[in-house]
Amino acid sequence: MKRTHILAAVNIMGGLNFGYNTGVIAGILTIWEDLGKEWHLSEAMQGIVTASILIGALVGSMIGGPIADHFGRKKAVLLLAIITLTGAPFLAAAPNVWVVIGARAFLGLAVGMSGVICPMYVSESAPPESKGQLGILFQVAITVGILHAYLFNYALKNIKYNWRVMFGCGAYPGLFLLAVWAVMPESPVWSLRRGVNNNETASLLKTNETEPPLGARLGIFIRSRALYIGLVLAVAQQLTGINAFMYYAGKVFGSAGISNPNYPTIGLGAWNAVSTLVGIPLVDRLGRRPLLVAGTLIMTVACFGLGVVYKYTHGDAKGYLAIGLLFIFVLAFEIGDGPLFWIVAHELFTPEIKTVGASTLNAAQWLFNIALTLGFPTVDKLIGSNVFYIFGLMGAIATIVLVIFLPETRNTAKN
Ligand code: BGC
């Protein structure tokens, strides 16, 4: 198997794991609501079930970097596969909601770890001229995983124990990850740092630098501008609202006056997936910066537009305009902040603080994701569609910071 194929497979399987297992809950919550049986979950409890995987992912993102540094990228991928393969069947067989919460948090560890480990492995092993393209595949697969979950939800709607089937299917990316693990070589960067001799390694790296001690690295990290720019990227990824639209798409469409929200939800999921393809031919040619700045700016305009549409329009016009703006928002997210966050979270940092940097930005991204997922229903109830102005404001701040401070990282990513 060619090296680029293996790299593509690692990112695709990691992304599928992430997308399916986070996306599946949107459908399952509707099923629980629709049937009004099983465990009669209150709204607060639904929020906890949704967030449990995100909390696991937060922890996973923090431990993913150190695990990959200590044991190597290859063993870390094996761990991802094992957690997924054990967590999903456990979840499917859950006898009560507490087991669901625990098993989802466990599965979340693999989701969070994959966001650090897979892009890191690809960034360390890919030829410089295709790092961006191969990196975007992680997000392409996230969106395909989410779409798969939406479609499954729809197809299994009237089947008994459908939620158990849907949860159980979360194991399939683990199986593929296991297959990829069997053929993937260790990352050349990690091997060199560990002193494993290998000619390919030497040719891929510019220097054979030795790492400063942890304390010194943390000092460099806290003072690095990359950290703060990266945190703004994490804000742009999450606090501009993507998951409010993804997890609650049905409700958003419903409140725009569209009575059968199933089709627009699936349509939005498909659009989300297709949109990720736009950046592939551009990311290594134009660079990361123009896509991130343009994407964040367009998302900002779409959010303010949504605020205006909800307030000042009615009937069919409101529904169609809202959906149009949502589609524009999603397109812009999937060209910029969606895929590029995972890539730039590594490229922003110098080699000695790459692992701690990428893990920290991933963790911040999960924290904002949790805040949005848990907070959106309440904020939506309190201020209604004005919530879109808040998303717009976050986007506007992020756009300004990115225009002024975001460096182009395309050529800095040598290891
Ligand atoms: C984000 C997720 C989001 C997904 C949508 C990912 O990059 O981290 O929170 O649901 O994109 O495609």
Side-chain angles (χ1 to χ4, degrees), residues 18 139 143 146 237-238 243 272 333-334 338 342 365 369:
F18 179 136
Q139 179 75 9
T143 60
I146 294 174
Q237 237 250 357
Q238 290 299 326
N243 287 317
N272 190 39
F333 177 85
E334 294 301 356
W342 309 107
Q365 180 275 145
N369 187 332

Side-chain angles (χ1 to χ4, degrees), residues 65 245 316 323 334 350 371 382 399:
F245 304 141
D316 283 355
I323 290 177
E334 294 301 356
T350 49
L382 285 177
T399 308

Side-chain angles (χ1 to χ4, degrees), residues 72-98:
R73 306 343 183 192
K74 188 168 158 94
K75 285 198 180 120
V77 167
L78 176 63
L79 184 62
L80 284 183
I82 293 173
I83 294 178
T84 309
L85 281 170
T86 47
F90 213 74
L91 189 53
N96 59 48
V97 71
W98 297 108

Side-chain angles (χ1 to χ4, degrees), residues 99-123:
V99 177
V100 168
I101 292 170
R104 270 176 66 76
F106 179 66
L107 203 52
L109 291 176
V111 170
M113 284 166 64
S114 69
V116 180
I117 293 164
C118 300
M120 173 194 279
Y121 176 71
V122 170
S123 158

Side-chain angles (χ1 to χ4, degrees), residues 34-274:
D34 283 355
L35 299 183
K37 51 186 184 188
E38 297 279 354
W39 300 321
H40 298 284
L41 298 184
S42 64
E43 237 175 65
M45 207 57 179
Q46 285 186 23
I48 295 172
V49 173
T50 306
S52 53
I53 197 160
L54 306 179
I55 290 164
L58 170 65
V59 177
S61 67
M62 293 192 287
I63 60 176
I67 288 177
D69 269 2
H70 192 81
F71 296 103
R73 306 343 183 192
K74 188 168 158 94
K75 285 198 180 120
V77 167
L78 176 63
L79 184 62
L80 284 183
I82 293 173
I83 294 178
T84 309
L85 281 170
T86 47
F90 213 74
L91 189 53
N96 59 48
V97 71
W98 297 108
V99 177
V100 168
I101 292 170
R104 270 176 66 76
F106 179 66
L107 203 52
L109 291 176
V111 170
M113 284 166 64
S114 69
V116 180
I117 293 164
C118 300
M120 173 194 279
Y121 176 71
V122 170
S123 158
E124 289 175 345
S125 314
E129 66 283 2
S130 52
K131 268 189 212 289
Q133 291 173 22
L134 287 165
I136 286 185
L137 293 181
F138 185 67
Q139 179 75 9
V140 173
I142 290 178
T143 60
V144 170
I146 294 174
L147 177 62
H148 177 195
Y150 283 2
L151 287 169
F152 229 34
N153 164 40
Y154 185 66
L156 299 182
K157 219 170 163 193
N158 300 316
I159 292 174
K160 199 166 186 231
Y161 297 129
N162 48 11
W163 63 270
R164 292 192 188 277
V165 178
M166 289 174 72
F167 275 151
C169 275
Y172 85 90
L175 261 187
F176 289 125
L177 269 172
L178 201 60
V180 175
W181 164 81
V183 294
M184 68 187 270
E186 184 48 88
S187 144
V189 173
W190 188 82
S191 301
L192 192 78
R193 292 221 175 101
R194 281 298 159 118
V196 179
N197 244 338
N198 167 341
N199 285 341
E200 189 188 11
T201 300
S203 71
L204 273 161
L205 293 177
K206 267 174 107 188
T207 57
N208 184 0
E209 80 286 346
T210 48
E211 275 186 350
L214 183 66
R217 271 185 286 151
L218 284 180
I220 301 174
F221 173 60
I222 303 284
R223 285 191 303 274
S224 76
R225 183 187 267 199
L227 169 62
Y228 302 97
I229 299 171
L231 288 175
V232 172
L233 280 178
V235 168
Q237 237 250 357
Q238 290 299 326
L239 296 184
T240 47
I242 183 73
N243 287 317
F245 304 141
M246 301 305 296
Y247 293 144
Y248 297 95
K251 288 182 188 165
V252 172
F253 280 115
S255 67
I258 288 164
S259 50
N260 181 348
N262 263 321
Y263 298 119
T265 303
I266 291 174
L268 188 69
W271 177 250
N272 190 39
V274 171

